[in-house]
Amino acid sequence: MYAILDIEATGGKKGEEDIIEVAIYRFDGKKITDQLISLVKPDRKIDAYVQKLTQITPKMVKTAPKFAELAKRIIEITDGAILVGHNVDFDYRMLKQEFKKFGYSYYRETIDTVPLSEKYFPEAASYSLGKLTKELGIPISDRHRAAGDARATLELFKLLLDKDYHKNIVKKENKKNESTSTKFLSYYEELPNSIGIYYVFDKNKNVIFLSKATNLALNVRKMLMGKSNLSNKIRMGIDSIKYQVTGNELISWIKENHEIKRLKPSLNETNRKIEFPYGLYIEIKNGYKALILQRFRKQENGAIIKFTSLSLGQKLLSLITEEFELCPKLNEISKTEKCLSYEVGECFGACEGIEPVQEYNSRVDQFMEKIQLEGKSFLIIGSGRDIGESSFVWVENGETQGYGYYELNHQIKGLKRIKERMIPIENDPDINQMIKGFLFTEKYKDLINL
């Protein structure tokens, strides 16, 4: 199975681009069995050069889904498939880069049609997609748009499969399938593609490893097929695997953190301290309160929020800036000389000293009030394990007490009902930090103050 893809991006410095359009055709070697075509709302501006090349404008992507909304669909349509693209390294890097922003390790094997074209069409004048397809008589519409380029790549790939007399391309797919048809297949073939946590047991029924997973089947498969020392140790010691669906990432993270400390699996770092190398700080610029993301520094006031990675910090700072209508230039998200948000009417002019300081700082104070956990008690309502079920995480007086599930609202009305359904955990500063950040991920359904 193949997944023919093409991606258009915002442009910019390598590693800082965002996807603005994606097209994927799932291809079984004979016909298209599934497809995904969508614009994507980026977190950064689209370069002028890219707008001219692709004709994709900021207005077009303004109401498009964000990558996080398409992520599950992308995982599904490429599951068990080899990614095929023209200069596929770029498309694959962009996917991995976007998934990494929310802590997901995306892995697929790839086939690049450029070297294959060089091999099977040695007389071609050029191997750029536009010129090569024209020379081969392959019709291409919507050049430099994801759907048009992906469809042209698909037609090119069909020709390459026909020219591949020795079936080397198919052999690569068969080799991939054989590698997954090992004795380890039974451990993950029945696992769901759901968010949860899995436990690896040895022959003595002891848990030797456990981990959260955004996709249980995919994560376990990757773990068992990996080449790391940890994967080798797990393969040597595994006797069985059990799992629990959690319904959402926050509970997976809390449960993993809690269970490692409770069970002390031999292959987990049982005494690990979660690292938060980046922090969000307030700096005064001409009277305005700017939110600045920097490496964690020990100072009297400390960080407002701490982050496990730079990409997570950047993502959440963008969400905070958008939600509270703050200035991206003041918050150092935008590195341009002029504030583009002000020029298009999305910034009220703090960067130019136009907006009154008091009005701007009042919105920063609103953010500070939202992020303040001390003394607050509330429930974070999220997705449940099944349709019709919801989950909750209970924070009381700024400390996380536990989590649980319910089907009807009256089942969590009052502290007594909450405690009846709650799985308690020990208070952990690391969890409280993660909850601060989670409040801005837009991944929960509701926040109920108690």
Side-chain angles (χ1 to χ4, degrees), residues 287-299:
Y288 296 98
K289 295 178 179 179
L291 300 176
I292 307 299
L293 181 64
Q294 294 182 351
R295 277 198 167 275
F296 180 69
R297 62 194 189 204
K298 293 182 179 179
Q299 60 181 40

Side-chain angles (χ1 to χ4, degrees), residues 55 113 165 170 239 351 362:
Q55 299 300 304
T113 55
Y165 303 119
V170 177
D239 180 73
C351 48
S362 68

